[in-house]
């Protein structure tokens, strides 16, 4: 029998008692925090400092992939405009730091709240649509946010916003151009919190509701699931994670412009989710880490790297169409839709 | 058995373009009875289920549940009020375990939602535990508790049909609408299912049943309503309906010399 990482991991976890589980989780968390120590090894990225790559793209993209996974992987709602919430978070950081004295940690909840609000507004309007229609409208929403920013002089238009302050020194950790490691640790903490929340939700009522909606929305509703409400929650939750990623990114980069938040990011994050294994937290984390790391690692071949990246994607999707770590063994046949009989 | 109506259809018409799937149908299901709905293919039986559960909005007429109109109610609200159903083609959540399938249905009466689940509040924990226990209890009642940890799609066909009923019972309904629960069963499976339906009725649920197998229907129904081309042509005790010339005509056609 070939080695199956997902089942091996799942079995190990299922057969462990409480303390062994704490131990496993502890080892993984400490290991993740210790990743900056690998700087200078064969993993080192050329052109960009390794620890900085750990924060962006890897950390930020893992965070976003986790958020999008709730929408696409768990609830089955194809969202092609996820970058919009990332942009809302980043622009919240930009605008608030322009006009107020709030620091990054104070801006973070505001950014999350505004991203949730935009998720709510978008969701309330479009979640009566399904499948392809939903995908197209969300795609449009992503572009609307970018183009609005591009044409608003209040947020700098095409020039964007610069001089966004770094976070203040907190608990003795400084945040400036040299402190890549501390930024990485902050995003890692957010990733851990997000994973814990998603795990809690998945095991309880919202997880079941999302899962039933993904599998057969009509039947879910007839079994008493308030599908509209839970789809909206999925959207709002996904948006909040995207918003948090946006605030962090803006405060590290110190500069944002509309062209950073283009459609490619939405597709890239979706690729992480699909590549890693839709609906499986660890699959999505693996997918996002690998796919955001590889282009940085092979940066020395410059222009050809995106070609290689695409090739890797195609080969992988042929070998493992359900992703690196699929959620459960899936059948190839889709769920019967259409008329209820 | 009382004559207190649980479900009433009053002059319900359901029109799709030029086709009247239901034409002025009146139907009353009383508390605690097994009412069978029969008729040839395309007579409109499943359409009755679909208008009652809110899948379709009837073109005309009124549907009352315990005297309250279901007009304008969402599907999940109707389920919460106490109407549950199964599907003619098995439509389980295939990638969930049997237990999860039933717990999903029990969730309908729970209060805790997303925030409660994130914070793992006492109420959320209590409801999760209660849902699990109730689901096990229902699976045991349906005789498939040993399947509780298996994915629904991996269950044998007969158990999938039973799980469909279990999931419907999970919503704590007053009335269950069973859409051909014995389809594809062999005679001995049909017999045990018939006993199960009687057990469901004896537990206090009212049952509205669509079925093609006449021996099953005649054996367990308290009352039989017959639909033909969207119109109700008979509604009486099984033994009476059996000899109704209109019913015989609907099923077997008119003798050549009589036409």
């Amino acid at each position: 029998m070939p080695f199956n990482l997902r089942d091996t991991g799942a079995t190990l976890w299922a057969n462990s008692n409480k303390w062994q589980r704490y131990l496993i989780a502890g080892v993984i968390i400490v290991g993740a925090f210790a990743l900056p120590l690998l700087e200078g090894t064969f993993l080192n990225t050329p052109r960009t400092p390794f620890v900085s790559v750990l924060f962006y793209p890897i950390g930020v993209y893992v965070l976003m992939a986790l958020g999008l996974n709730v929408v696409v992987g768990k609830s089955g709602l194809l969202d092609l405009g996820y970058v919009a919430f990332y942009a809302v978070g980043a622009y919240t950081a930009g605008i608030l730091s322009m006009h107020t004295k709030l620091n990054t940690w104070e801006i973070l909840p505001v950014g999350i709240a505004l991203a949730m609000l935009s998720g709510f507004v978008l969701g309330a309007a479009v979640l009566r649509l399904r499948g392809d229609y939903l995908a197209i409208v969300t795609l449009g929403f992503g572009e609307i946010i970018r183009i609005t920013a591009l044409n608003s002089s209040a947020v700098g238009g095409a020039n964007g916003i610069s001089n966004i302050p770094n976070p203040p020194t907190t608990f003795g950790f400084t945040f400036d151009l040299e402190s890549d490691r501390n930024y990485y640790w902050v995003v890692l903490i957010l990733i851990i919190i997000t994973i814990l929340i998603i795990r809690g939700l998945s095991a309880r009522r919202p997880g079941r509701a999302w899962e039933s909606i993904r599998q057969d929305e009509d039947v879910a509703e007839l079994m008493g699931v308030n599908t509209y409400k839970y789809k909206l929650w999925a959207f709002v939750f996904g948006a909040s994670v995207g918003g948090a990623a946006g605030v962090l990114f803006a405060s590290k980069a110190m500069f944002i412009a509309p062209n950073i938040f283009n459609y490619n990011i939405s597709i890239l994050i979706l690729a992480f989710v699909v590549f890693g294994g839709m609906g499986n937290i660890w699959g999505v984390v693996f997918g996002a880490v690998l796919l955001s790391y590889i282009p940085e690692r092979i940066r020395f071949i410059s222009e050809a790297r995106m070609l290689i990246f695409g090739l890797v994607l195609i080969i992988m999707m042929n070998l493992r169409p359900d992703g690196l770590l699929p959620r459960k063994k899936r059948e190839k046949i889709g769920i019967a839709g259409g008329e209820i009989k | 058995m009382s004559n207190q109506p649980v479900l009433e259809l009053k002059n319900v018409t359901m029109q799709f373009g030029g086709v009247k799937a239901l034409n002025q149908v009146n139907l009353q299901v009383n508390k605690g009875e097994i009412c069978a709905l029969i008729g040839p293919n395309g007579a409109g039986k499943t359409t009755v289920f679909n208008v009652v559960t809110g899948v379709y909005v009837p073109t005309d007429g009124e549907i009352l549940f315990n005297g309250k109109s279901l007009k304008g109610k969402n599907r999940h609200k109707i389920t919460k009020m106490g109407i549950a159903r199964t599907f003619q083609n098995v439509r389980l959540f295939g990638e969930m375990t049997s237990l999860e399938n039933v717990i999903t249905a029990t969730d309908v009466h729970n209060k805790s939602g997303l925030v409660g689940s994130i914070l793992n509040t006492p109420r959320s924990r209590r409801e999760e535990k209660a849902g699990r226990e109730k689901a096990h209890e229902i699976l045991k009642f349906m005789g498939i508790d040993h399947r509780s940890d298996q994915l629904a799609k991996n269950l044998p066909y007969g158990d999938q049909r039973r799980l469909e009923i279990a999931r419907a019972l999970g919503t704590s309904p007053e009335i269950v609408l069973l859409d051909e629960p014995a389809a594809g069963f062999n005679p001995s499976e049909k017999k045990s299912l018939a006993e199960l339906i009687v057990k469901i009725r004896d537990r206090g649920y009212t049952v509205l049943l669509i079925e093609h197998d006449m021996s099953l229907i005649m054996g367990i129904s308290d009352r039989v309503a017959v639909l033909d081309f969207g119109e109700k042509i008979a509604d009486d005790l099984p033994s009476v309906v059996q000899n109704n010339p209109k019913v015989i005509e609907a099923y077997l056609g008119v003798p050549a010399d009589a036409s």
Side-chain angles (χ1 to χ4, degrees), chain A residues 102-113:
Chain A
L102 295 177
N103 69 38
T104 307
W105 312 134
E106 289 157 354
I107 290 172
L108 189 61
V110 183
I112 292 174

Side-chain angles (χ1 to χ4, degrees), chain B residues 157-217:
Chain B
Y157 177 74
D159 288 348
Q160 289 192 348
R161 285 248 172 238
R162 283 190 187 82
L163 180 56
E164 275 241 323
I165 302 177
R167 187 177 60 177
L169 296 182
T171 64
S172 308
E174 259 183 74
I175 180 167
V176 267
L177 317 181
L178 305 178
D179 199 344
E180 296 193 28
F185 278 17
N186 66 34
S188 82
E189 285 172 324
K190 276 185 181 163
K191 191 161 163 285
S192 74
L193 185 84
E195 286 163 8
L196 201 54
I197 294 173
V198 172
K199 258 172 69 189
I200 290 170
R201 193 263 321 268
D202 292 345
R203 250 189 153 203
Y205 301 107
T206 306
V207 179
L208 179 60
L209 172 71
I210 294 178
E211 191 45 70
H212 278 302
D213 189 287
M214 283 306 150
S215 60
L216 190 147
I217 294 269

